[in-house]
Amino acid sequence: MDKLIIKGQNILEGSVTMSGAKNAVLPLMAAALLVDGKTIIHRVPDLRDTRTMVRLLEILGAKIKFKNHTLEIDGSTVNRIEAPYELVKTMRASFYVLGPLLARFGQARVSLPGGCAWGPRPVDFHLRGFKLLGAVIELTDGYIQASAKKLIGNKVHFEVSSVGATGNIVMAAVLAEGVTIIQNAAREPEIVQLCEVLNLMGSKITGLGSNTLRIEGVNELVPAEVEVIPDRIETGTFLMAGAALGKITLKNTEPEHLGIVLEKIELSGASIQISGKNITVEHEGPIKPVNITTDVFPGFPTDLQAQWIAFMALASGSSIIKDTIYHDRFAHVSELVRLGAKIQMENNVAIVHGVEQLKGAQVMSTDIRASASLVNAALMAQGKTEISRIYHVDRGYEKIEEKLKFLGAEIWRESE
Ligand code: UD1
């Protein structure tokens, strides 16, 4: 197992290009299962999670080529309908194959994902949605067995807006008979892109970017060629590093997906300049404390909560960070404390009392975003930090140490 070593407090300068979005490419790859032909996806981030999805699609029978950030997925050879536990347990987004398999083949068997580092993450909304479309759902041996001769459109109202459940139900509904209406649908840019791509494939989805989606079922979909949207979470992570440590430009990203994040960074005292698809952030004087509350898009993303806590660790006062999406997503807090951060927890609220200095230490990453927060904190800390279990960071950040090194950080990888 690899670990990352970071010697902190280098000034970050220069520019790097952001990768395609992990949370956009995974559902797009699943959508390729709907098509009897080749889907071509450009700007694919080469991540552990992308590779896991490649393996899963291959197990299902798809023929895949992955080269130079372009994926070619041939869905015409898909001939199996089971997503095994070994893969689903390592990546929850594997559950995305359920909707497309059920829609195209009338059945699917997908392992139940189980919990994750930040507590239970149920799939009940997905299952309720499939049932409303007429599927029979059974749980046997830890697997969800779904079947339906033909899915029938229906009204699906989500109690809580869910990215995964919206994506899964949309992918099932595109081949259903009749019209499906999804209320309280997720509006995240990754879901908007999924719907756009499905429309390119011949689906009839309207209401994109709103919380009501209308999907008129069609008989079949055709292949499409698409480019993944930029990763707003990667961009946000780098923006916070830049705001704390120098002046950097993040190229080929999408400022419109980062509205509240950019506002909050400006409130912290850093300056932001936008020029087309590039964002420049510059550290200006002390970091001011800024509160955040995570929310569904366009709210502050829960996937940047951990990094915000790390950023606020050096603020000139106290800030309050509340996660309303995942109440238990705070495993990074105890690791940040090891670096000298002063953080008090009250249920799903972290109160961060800014300190003068963080100091390098040995820490352990527990999930993708927690590890990114540790990387940022280590960049800000005096001395050397060793971050173990960095396979988490590799799940969601493409070449993080190369990008940071290019900006002037002292960071390298070692085998444990
Ligand atoms: C996706 C993202 C993840 C992000 C999260 C919230 C991907 C691959 N992952 O995860 O990075 O942190 O959105 O923006 O895109 N819920 C239920 N039952 C369900 C489904 C969800 O109770 O069946 C709850 C969850 O526990 C959570 C909330 O709904 O409290 C939102 O979760 P959801 O949007 O579904 O997250 P994911 O799609 O799993």
Side-chain angles (χ1 to χ4, degrees):
M1 270 198 285
D2 287 354
K3 58 184 177 184
L4 273 181
I5 319 284
I6 297 175
K7 272 198 184 154
Q9 295 190 335
N10 279 17
I11 288 171
L12 301 185
E13 278 173 325
S15 53
V16 277
T17 301
M18 294 290 94
S19 297
K22 168 180 95 72
N23 288 352
V25 77
L26 297 175
L28 293 182
M29 292 171 74
L33 292 171
L34 287 161
V35 184
D36 186 4
K38 280 183 193 158
T39 299
I40 298 176
I41 312 176
H42 299 289
R43 202 184 183 183
V44 175
D46 193 352
L47 302 167
R48 217 179 157 97
D49 275 12
T50 318
R51 298 272 170 183
T52 303
M53 193 57 119
V54 166
R55 283 221 308 285
L56 176 53
L57 298 185
E58 282 174 343
I59 286 174
L60 298 173
K63 291 244 158 50
I64 300 194
K65 285 187 195 148
F66 186 19
K67 221 176 144 186
N68 299 332
H69 295 101
T70 291
L71 259 177
E72 198 181 288
I73 305 169
D74 187 351
S76 65
T77 50
V78 174
N79 56 2
R80 279 183 292 272
I81 51 112
E82 178 173 311
Y85 177 62
E86 290 66 40
L87 289 181
V88 182
K89 74 172 182 199
T90 64
M91 187 184 72
R92 222 184 113 78
S94 313
F95 209 68
Y96 269 133
V97 302
L98 206 160
L101 288 174
L102 178 63
R104 184 161 160 213
F105 301 103
Q107 50 180 327
R109 202 173 126 84
V110 178
S111 168
L112 206 53
C116 78
W118 70 80
R121 290 176 72 190
V123 287
D124 51 328
F125 300 159
H126 303 235
L127 302 183
R128 199 178 140 264
F130 293 129
K131 278 188 199 157
L132 284 168
L133 298 185
V136 175
I137 304 282
E138 283 165 304
L139 174 67
T140 44
D141 311 323
Y143 280 72
I144 296 295
Q145 179 98 33
S147 55
K149 273 210 183 86
K150 181 80 189 163
L151 294 169
I152 311 284
N154 199 351
K155 191 161 111 184
V156 179
H157 180 106
F158 290 125
E159 188 185 319
V160 172
S161 165
S162 156
V163 173
T166 303
N168 232 340
I169 300 307
V170 168
M171 288 191 276
V174 289
L175 290 182
E177 199 177 298
V179 172
T180 299
I181 306 281
I182 304 182
Q183 289 173 330
N184 202 16
R187 298 163 57 192
E188 272 63 10
E190 295 76 18
I191 291 297
V192 174
Q193 173 160 57
L194 172 66
C195 294
E196 280 168 0
V197 170
L198 289 168
N199 279 347
L200 263 181
M201 291 170 166
S203 300
K204 291 186 178 163
I205 310 171
T206 53
L208 278 66
S210 79
N211 49 20
T212 303
L213 292 171
R214 182 183 187 277
I215 304 140
E216 199 181 318
V218 296
N219 285 333
E220 61 170 359
L221 298 184
V222 294
E225 184 165 350
V226 300
E227 181 179 298
V228 180
I229 56 171
D231 198 313
R232 62 193 168 102
I233 306 302
E234 183 195 34
T235 309
T237 304
F238 275 75
L239 281 172
M240 290 175 216
L245 287 160
K247 180 179 180 184
I248 60 175
T249 299
L250 307 170
K251 292 193 299 192
N252 204 357
T253 186
E254 183 46 83
E256 284 188 9
H257 294 166
L258 283 151
I260 190 151
V261 177
L262 296 172
E263 270 174 43
K264 293 284 180 179
I265 288 176
E266 280 189 317
L267 284 174
S268 81
S271 77
I272 297 275
Q273 273 165 24
I274 296 171
S275 161
K277 299 293 174 199
N278 300 338
I279 308 176
T280 301
V281 62
E282 183 171 7
H283 172 80
E284 309 249 16
I287 301 169
K288 293 184 196 146
V290 180
N291 302 341
I292 59 139
T293 298
T294 68
D295 205 347
V296 295
F297 189 82
F300 193 97
T302 171
D303 284 351
L304 287 172
Q305 173 260 102
Q307 299 88 316
W308 195 262
I309 291 185
F311 181 42
M312 286 296 113
L314 286 185
S316 58
S318 301
S319 54
I320 298 170
I321 287 108
K322 182 173 179 182
D323 201 321
T324 67
I325 310 288
Y326 292 111
H327 293 192
D328 301 325
R329 192 181 198 177
F330 289 99
H332 42 282
V333 164
S334 46
E335 300 302 302
L336 291 169
V337 166
R338 290 180 56 75
L339 296 173
K342 254 177 99 179
I343 306 165
Q344 210 180 314
M345 285 304 305
E346 280 174 22
N347 303 314
N348 61 334
V349 176
I351 303 156
V352 185
H353 304 286
V355 292
E356 296 257 303
Q357 185 90 273
L358 294 176
K359 285 219 167 105
Q362 285 176 314
V363 289
M364 189 175 81
S365 51
T366 46
D367 66 73
I368 308 178
R369 309 306 169 187
S371 47
S373 81
L374 296 177
V375 169
N376 275 3
L379 293 170
M380 293 167 10
Q382 184 194 50
K384 191 167 112 177
T385 298
E386 283 187 25
I387 308 174
S388 59
R389 299 200 182 172
I390 56 146
Y391 52 87
H392 289 294
V393 98
D394 295 331
R395 287 189 53 194
Y397 290 85
E398 189 177 37
K399 300 198 169 126
I400 192 165
E401 73 265 38
E402 278 180 36
K403 287 180 184 171
L404 286 171
K405 211 182 277 178
F406 190 75
L407 295 173
E410 229 176 306
I411 173 170
W412 66 96
R413 191 177 283 250
E414 276 178 13
S415 289
E416 278 181 285

